[in-house]
Amino acid sequence: MARVVGTHELRRPAVLALQTLAIAACYYGAGRLGLVRRLSVDGAVFTPIWPPTGVAVAVLLILGIRAWLGIALGALLVVLSLSSFSSITPSVIGIVVGNTIAPVCAYLLLRKVRFRNDLSRLRDGLALVFLAALGSMTISATSGVGILIATGKLAWGDFWPVWLAWWVGDAMGVLIITPVLLMAYSLRRPLNLSRWKEAVLLLAAVCVIVPYATRSSLSLLYLVYPLLIWAALRFELAGSMVCALFASVLATVAATDHAGPFVDLSNTSVMIKLQAFNGSMALTALLLSAVITEQRNTRRSVERACQELVQVLEHLTAGNPPPRPPPPDEDDDDRLR
């Protein structure tokens, strides 16, 4: 027995170390991927979508607070990979701390309001938008830009444009990447393929319309929204967020290439136009799919309650004692509130 207990105690630190390294690798990989496409605003380089923030929030929601160390290690590797930071200095540590505290704060706030990873309620979507994305990401943006100013790498007059670009990039990572990762983690086999024909048709429409809308000089980005609505109505979060991610990536590529609706625009104008599109698209996909999922869950709960009531009435009519009701389902109670 002592040997079994000892082996178990030794295994836990090993598993934690492997999880930490895996999280750091995912964070670093997402950071390098985000740096592929970037823009310059007032001399500062920023990414329209910063995927590591989405990865960090999703990992915390899945694994818990113990994932913070892997996030910090990944953030350190990303910062050191930038040409402007060649060694571990107080400014590097400050940026890493800010990039770690922001997703941890988002996680704690979401847990405080009893956030559900399946985003099956409108309140979950609103919490992810306002608490995790728009609220908590002000921490990383403020600390990062503040450190750049304190170290003389950025002028005071450039604070707000750079802060806004940093904040929106981090927020977009949470709004677009986090729901996709949570959805992928919650997938269970066997998958429901009853609508595979419609899914193929939607996929074909997305692959044709989205590249055209993001590359056409006629400013046809609004053509993406009917696809988002279609995906949300028929495939809920899985369809709408994957569609939003694909459209956001293509729009970001077009913006950094100054192509399509972003041609002949300054970098600041490109940032404003791109982030307005990405933000409104992510909000539409996330909140609409949350509303649809919540309504469908509520309808199922009402139908189940009606079936139980019919069974009770049948037993009473036959003169039998009513069947014992099943234990209350907390999920159903929350959906009916």
Side-chain angles (χ1 to χ4, degrees), residues 79-317:
V79 174
L80 291 178
S81 68
L82 301 176
S83 58
S84 56
F85 300 99
S86 57
S87 61
I88 299 178
T89 61
S91 61
V92 169
I93 295 176
I95 293 176
V96 170
V97 170
N99 289 345
T100 304
I101 291 179
V104 169
C105 181
Y107 164 77
L108 295 176
L109 289 175
L110 291 176
R111 283 291 171 253
K112 186 70 175 179
V113 298
R114 298 182 180 180
F115 175 84
R116 291 181 182 171
N117 290 354
D118 58 0
L119 288 162
S120 59
R121 303 171 300 178
L122 177 59
R123 58 184 288 188
D124 298 325
L126 293 175
L128 187 66
V129 171
F130 291 103
L131 297 181
L134 302 183
S136 299
M137 294 306 116
T138 59
I139 298 174
S140 56
T142 303
S143 62
V145 178
I147 289 172
L148 292 179
I149 292 177
T151 55
K153 295 181 179 181
L154 191 67
W156 271 106
D158 298 330
F159 177 86
W160 287 114
V162 176
W163 183 91
L164 182 63
W166 193 315
W167 173 62
V168 174
D170 285 357
M172 288 302 102
V174 176
L175 288 179
I176 295 176
I177 304 300
T178 299
V180 174
L181 294 180
L182 293 177
M183 175 204 65
Y185 178 77
S186 63
L187 286 179
R188 296 293 183 267
R189 294 183 179 181
L191 299 177
N192 185 6
L193 300 179
S194 59
R195 297 178 179 172
W196 70 269
K197 293 182 180 179
E198 185 179 2
V200 171
L201 181 60
L202 175 60
L203 178 62
V206 169
C207 291
V208 172
I209 295 176
V210 173
Y212 176 73
T214 55
R215 286 287 174 173
S216 174
S217 59
L218 299 177
S219 294
L220 299 177
L221 291 176
Y222 59 85
L223 292 178
V224 175
Y225 291 96
L227 299 175
L228 290 177
I229 296 172
W230 179 9
L233 287 174
R234 302 298 292 169
F235 302 99
E236 300 180 8
L237 185 68
S240 63
M241 292 312 303
V242 170
C243 180
L245 175 62
F246 181 68
S248 180
V249 169
L250 291 190
T252 301
V253 171
T256 52
D257 290 340
H258 289 270
F262 307 98
V263 69
D264 296 332
L265 296 178
S266 64
N267 284 342
T268 303
S269 299
V270 168
M271 181 198 72
I272 295 174
K273 188 171 186 176
L274 174 63
Q275 301 299 41
F277 170 71
N278 283 341
S280 59
M281 180 182 58
L283 288 174
T284 299
L286 181 61
L287 298 183
L288 180 59
S289 59
V291 169
I292 293 172
T293 301
E294 185 176 35
Q295 289 181 345
R296 289 180 177 174
N297 289 337
T298 301
R299 187 181 67 246
R300 295 190 189 104
S301 299
V302 172
E303 290 175 351
R304 189 180 304 115
C306 291
Q307 292 175 357
E308 294 172 359
L309 180 59
V310 169
Q311 292 177 358
V312 171
L313 292 176
E314 289 177 350
H315 280 75
L316 291 176
T317 302

Side-chain angles (χ1 to χ4, degrees), residues 1-20 66:
M1 179 64 70
R3 181 179 298 177
V4 174
V5 174
T7 303
H8 178 69
E9 292 298 327
L10 291 175
R11 187 179 301 170
R12 290 182 59 185
V15 171
L16 180 60
L18 289 176
Q19 283 185 347
T20 300
R66 67 178 183 272

